[in-house]
Amino acid sequence: MNPPDLTTIALKMSSVLLLMTGLIVALLYLFRRLGARGLNSEGKSIRLLSSSYVGVKKYISLVEIPGAILVIGVTRDRITLLDKIEDPGILEQFRQPYTPTDAPAFSRHLSRMIASLSPGKSNPPGSKP
């Protein structure tokens, strides 16, 4: 009986390894292509509007679903529905982007702080530079 040829065994093992690696790469590519549509927020029916922490690993979130907004409480081991908002007027209010109008611009605030630090200039706290 002849011993097996090491070259033949090495070629078979390398070809199987190459085939398996190619199969894994092809499956990863396929999953990424198909999964990319699921990660896009335009096609999703669930959207996170806001979250606010209320404690260590505890927060309240506003989650939009078709026709309603859910107010949920999330802790380390539990998710609880706190309220369901279905009023069309309130729903529209949450969908509009938040634009703060009463807050001063950062550049104005920074200019005031720099002016108050510079020697020789003294501005009262409520005055504009």
Side-chain angles (χ1 to χ4, degrees), residues 4-65:
D5 185 22
L6 290 179
T7 307
T8 307
I9 292 174
L11 283 174
K12 284 183 182 179
M13 191 168 50
S14 297
S15 63
V16 169
L17 180 64
L18 188 63
L19 180 70
M20 293 302 290
T21 305
L23 182 64
I24 290 172
V25 168
L27 284 174
L28 282 174
Y29 175 76
L30 184 65
F31 285 144
R32 284 189 181 181
R33 282 291 282 191
L34 294 177
R37 284 184 236 133
L39 296 176
N40 197 353
S41 65
E42 282 101 33
K44 286 193 168 188
S45 59
I46 299 173
R47 189 173 67 136
L48 179 67
L49 296 177
S50 177
S51 286
S52 181
Y53 286 94
V54 292
V56 177
K57 296 184 182 181
K58 296 175 185 173
Y59 57 96
I60 296 176
S61 293
L62 295 174
V63 179
E64 182 180 17
I65 60 171

Side-chain angles (χ1 to χ4, degrees), residues 44-95:
K44 286 193 168 188
S45 59
I46 299 173
R47 189 173 67 136
L48 179 67
L49 296 177
S50 177
S51 286
S52 181
Y53 286 94
V54 292
V56 177
K57 296 184 182 181
K58 296 175 185 173
Y59 57 96
I60 296 176
S61 293
L62 295 174
V63 179
E64 182 180 17
I65 60 171
I69 293 178
L70 304 178
V71 181
I72 58 173
V74 182
T75 63
R76 183 174 25 164
D77 59 346
R78 178 174 311 182
I79 298 175
T80 306
L81 178 64
L82 302 175
D83 196 8
K84 185 174 183 179
I85 303 169
E86 295 176 313
D87 181 26
I90 295 174
L91 290 175
E92 190 59 37
Q93 189 178 20
F94 277 110
R95 288 187 185 120

